[in-house]
Amino acid sequence: MLSLRICSTRSLVVVMLSGWREQGVQVVDLKTRKVTQKLLQDGAFYGAAFSPDGHRLCVSGGNTDMLFIYAWKDGVASLENKFELSKAKTVDGTGTSHPAGLAFSPNGSARMTTLPFASMKPHLSPTSTLASGPTS
């Protein structure tokens, strides 16, 4: 299942490949329909969200139990930080939480992540951890 997020300028779309053909995220120019950037990322899955100010892109790490935070500037994403949501692993070494739905609060003060396989309760955290939290 592919999922898409349109950037605030509406000129680019971020596509989570969700394991289709390869693991990662692609940035596509909507006018030319060309891929402008490829981000290889383990576990890139359904969830992605832009911060309200448009300066960050948060992407799910799916079965790696990671959240990846990209700085977003002039239509280009660069890895800024990543967070491990759970250290628990299954017998085959994959994660147990599988972050999927991602969203920011309207004022950007919190990030919400749903963890459908670990719990139906959303995980809320302040966005200050996005810029200052530990990189795994």
Side-chain angles (χ1 to χ4, degrees):
M1 168 191 324
L2 299 176
S3 64
L4 313 169
R5 287 293 173 261
I6 297 175
C7 76
S8 62
T9 64
R10 304 222 178 267
S11 61
L12 299 168
V13 66
V14 174
V15 181
M16 283 63 64
L17 300 178
S18 300
W20 183 78
R21 204 178 57 187
E22 61 191 44
Q23 296 274 330
V25 177
Q26 293 181 349
V27 179
V28 178
D29 183 302
L30 290 172
K31 186 174 182 179
T32 65
R33 297 183 182 182
K34 303 268 185 204
V35 175
T36 61
Q37 185 178 12
K38 292 181 181 183
L39 304 165
L40 296 180
Q41 178 194 300
D42 288 341
F45 189 58
Y46 185 70
F50 281 100
S51 61
D53 64 9
H55 296 297
R56 289 198 171 71
L57 171 67
C58 183
V59 177
S60 165
N63 67 355
T64 67
D65 288 349
M66 301 290 291
L67 287 180
F68 294 82
I69 310 301
Y70 295 92
W72 182 263
K73 185 175 180 180
D74 299 325
V76 176
S78 57
L79 185 63
E80 184 175 88
N81 218 332
K82 55 186 176 176
F83 300 92
E84 186 172 28
L85 297 176
S86 173
K87 293 194 182 296
K89 301 296 179 205
T90 62
V91 175
D92 67 359
T94 60
T96 57
S97 297
H98 302 256
L102 305 177
F104 284 89
S105 62
N107 67 2
S109 66
R111 178 193 71 244
M112 183 173 78
T113 307
T114 59
L115 306 172
F117 297 112
S119 165
M120 292 311 289
K121 295 180 181 177
H123 168 77
L124 288 167
S125 62
T127 56
S128 60
T129 62
L130 296 180
S132 62
T135 300
S136 297

